[in-house]
Amino acid sequence: MPFTATVLTMFPEAFPGPLGVSLIGTAWREKGLWSLDMVDIRAFSTDTRGFLDDTPAGGGPGAVLKADVVARAVDSLSGSQRPLLYMSARGRPLTQARVKEWAKADGIVVLCGRFEGVDQRVLDARGFEEVSVGDAVLAGGEAAAMVAIEACVRLIPGVLGAADSLSSESFEDGLLEHPQYTRPRTFEGLEIPEVLVSGDHKKVAKWREAQREETTRERRPDLWEAHLAKSQLKGAKPEEK
């Protein structure tokens, strides 16, 4: 069975979006390396008007998706056990380490919230992991769900083609990726760094590693500190600059 991503959403028409294009889309529609299923949460409302939300307990603005409606949608799924993800600004950050673990499963089930969120009871009762894609609030979980799904799917063997292209990407070893260049050699007076056209592979590798360290130190000091600590434990502290 291919890796299966199932999305529980009020707006199934939002999908596949970017998941249906380029190599990710080809791996789905033509190669069958993964599959995408959409489940309309509205179909599980028992209200004659199709309502699936109610006012927040304790008062306050907005509405909350009802636990019983969401539970029926989740319980309608069959097959092997898959990680249950709820996309939420209050969730734990999406990281490459978590993505790699999810990608080892048969697939993932992603719940997209709306309004003020989902009744906490169903999240607890069904064992959802709350996941955040960044320190910003979105109108709903659909865009965030696409991020989580794409991050998993691209790790499936055969989706991206060259497996070695994944090894030096950002976060794989705790550092951000080095900058990339290609032809033309001169663009608006700016040259490709000389070392990259020198033909000396050892110098190129050393330059790229230095760029990764500098970029990480400047842009993500949290990652840099963790990298330093890990390197010290291995007895190979990176050169201070």
Side-chain angles (χ1 to χ4, degrees), residues 213-227:
E213 292 185 359
E214 180 179 351
T215 301
T216 305
R217 186 168 53 247
E218 291 179 352
R219 300 182 182 180
R220 290 293 303 273
D222 57 325
L223 292 179
W224 178 246
E225 290 300 322
H227 179 69

Side-chain angles (χ1 to χ4, degrees), residues 117-179:
V118 176
D119 189 309
Q120 186 66 40
R121 292 173 296 177
V122 70
L123 301 178
D124 295 339
R126 295 299 182 270
F128 276 93
E129 299 180 53
E130 297 191 46
V131 182
S132 169
V133 295
D135 294 340
V137 180
L138 304 177
E142 285 73 20
M146 293 179 194
V147 171
I149 293 170
E150 180 169 322
C152 290
V153 169
R154 65 189 298 279
L155 297 181
I156 298 173
V159 170
L160 295 187
D164 57 353
S165 66
L166 300 173
S167 60
S168 62
E169 292 181 327
S170 295
F171 310 116
E172 284 299 324
D173 60 359
L175 296 176
L176 300 181
E177 189 175 7
H178 54 77

Side-chain angles (χ1 to χ4, degrees), residues 53-181:
D53 58 278
D54 209 332
T55 56
V64 177
L65 292 182
K66 299 175 66 175
D68 55 341
V69 178
V70 174
R72 284 192 290 271
V74 175
D75 295 345
S76 72
L77 304 177
S78 59
S80 60
Q81 295 294 318
R82 292 175 285 164
L84 302 178
L85 314 180
Y86 169 53
M87 311 313 296
S88 167
R90 64 189 292 271
R92 291 171 53 206
L94 179 72
T95 64
Q96 191 66 12
R98 298 181 76 189
V99 167
K100 291 170 77 171
E101 287 301 312
W102 298 333
K104 295 176 184 178
D106 294 333
I108 55 176
V109 176
V110 189
L111 171 61
C112 302
R114 280 278 159 176
F115 314 123
E116 298 303 314
V118 176
D119 189 309
Q120 186 66 40
R121 292 173 296 177
V122 70
L123 301 178
D124 295 339
R126 295 299 182 270
F128 276 93
E129 299 180 53
E130 297 191 46
V131 182
S132 169
V133 295
D135 294 340
V137 180
L138 304 177
E142 285 73 20
M146 293 179 194
V147 171
I149 293 170
E150 180 169 322
C152 290
V153 169
R154 65 189 298 279
L155 297 181
I156 298 173
V159 170
L160 295 187
D164 57 353
S165 66
L166 300 173
S167 60
S168 62
E169 292 181 327
S170 295
F171 310 116
E172 284 299 324
D173 60 359
L175 296 176
L176 300 181
E177 189 175 7
H178 54 77
Q180 300 283 4
Y181 301 86

